[in-house]
Amino acid sequence: MSLSTHNVSVGYHGKAIVKQVDLSIPEGKIIALLGPNGCGKSTLLKAMARILSPIEGQIHWQGKNIHQMASKKLAQQLALLPQTQPIPEGIKVKDLVAYGRSPYTGFWGRISNADQHIIDKMMQQTGVTELAEQLVSELSGGQRQRVWLAMTLAQDTPYLLLDEPTTYMDLSHQVELMHLLRKLNLQGKTIITVLHDINQAARYCDHLIVMKQGKIVTQGSPESVLTESLLKDVFSLNAQIHLDPIAKTPMCVVE
Amino acid sequence: METRSLPILLLTLVALLIANLMFGAVSLPFKQVIEGFQVGNANYFTVHEYRFPRTILAMLVGAMMALAGALVQGVIRNPLASPDVLGVSHGAGLAAVFYMTFFPNADIDWLPTVALCGSLIAALMLWWLCGQHSSTIKLAITGVALAALYASCIDFLMLVKPLEINNALLWLTGSLWGRGWNQLAMLLPWLLLIPCALWLAKPLNLIHLGDDSAISLGVKASTLRLLSLAIAVGLTASCVAICGPIGFLGLVAPHLTRKLVGGRHQLLLPSTMLVGAILLLLADLVARTIDPPIELPAGIMTAIIGAPYFLWLLFRTK
């Protein structure tokens, strides 16, 4: 078990939002964190990315407390795409993506040929190659999200943490992103993503973790997790579960 | 954009260095300036003892104040931030005015040390009020509030001790008048802060992306912020101690440079030092030559350029 939380409580200003969570992230899967607003799914993700320090408990990477590891070492293992990103002034797309190589470069941040190869590849995979010379501040919200994704991917980590990565994208780019995640997963990456769209999670993710009021309610494959009673309990939704006619995964239809 | 501006900036700097040696109350042709470096030459005093150290000092102070500004703007992530928002210059001003009004007969050579202590105490005050983990907005607002407090204390001192007001006012405008080799020697040890600042170029780029991304890319965000601000305080304090608070340089120079070379700190930090040096050399040149033999303080010149620029910036920023 590479990434695990042990009795972790975490929140803001000493007030716990996530409460005493024990969790082992199944390796090599696409994992979705689901739950209503304020349930603590983003907070838990941030804690795993060591953005937030736990109030109690520990988070372990390969048996070691992540807050006691060298930050550059850990940055070669875990990458995070935050939910919102500031708009840096005077930075070109190609520069921003190159920043993703920071955990590997020396003190002056010089990019090697091998680094450049990875940068080019990730820009291509996220479809931002033709934006390379543009300023990040001039892009649309969806374009910017893809550029940041390329930066996060350039970090080239076995674990990828994404906080609502589809929020600002139109539907076709959302689908493209989920396909890209599938492809990266086949290459061996473990992907943990916060999602709002239950059907998207059921269709593209292997493992769902459902949270409510800072606790994990249930977890497992989409087939085992998504039930009508769960939707009622967690999301206060009256909905039916049907089979997606194409992907044969469970699909929630609201009554 | 990018590196193309560098040669132009370098040429401008060299031209201004020469111009500062040639022009002043008396204009000297280039040949006489060169000859003036020889001991015993008729212009030795004007060139070697007076204009040369002052020109070098203007170059260094301009570069250091601009670098401090770039560091502060880098970690506060706001183009309107500058070392002034840390209250450091006003702290120095208060200490200097206090010294001048209460000890009018004291040795003026101690003034830089007193001002330096004032600015460092102001920095510690800000640190004590905010602590390591407070937000940058809290830091900036606290700094501005403290600066206002120091400014009102300065006004109070000058009102109750009106006899000493002239020296105090002159010092508070920021000037290179009368500064020479002694002051240059005082500044030298502080030049060590420049390589320290350049060392932070890479993590400063990542702070630009927000704390979450920076931490995820392996930067210790709060440590970096503390380190950058401490270096900015050191740079500002040492300059203010020697020349008084020369306004707007730390705000305008980095911002102008970002427009010229972009936001990558590997290029931004060295370039902003060039721009800062150019601005202060220009300000001092104009201040010395506009109405000779009367000299204006360079601080007035930077304010004349800086204040409208700041307003323009403010209206442009949504």
Side-chain angles (χ1 to χ4, degrees), chain A residues 106-119:
Chain A
F107 90 95
W108 195 243
R110 183 181 283 277
I111 296 294
S112 72
N113 284 339
D115 290 326
Q116 193 58 53
H117 179 74
I118 293 171
I119 294 164

Side-chain angles (χ1 to χ4, degrees), chain B residues 114-126:
Chain B
V114 170
L116 186 69
C117 291
S119 51
L120 296 181
I121 290 170
L124 286 176
M125 187 82 178
L126 183 64

Side-chain angles (χ1 to χ4, degrees), chain B residues 276-288:
Chain B
I278 287 170
L279 286 179
L280 190 54
L281 281 169
L282 188 66
D284 196 40
L285 183 66
V286 174
R288 286 191 298 120

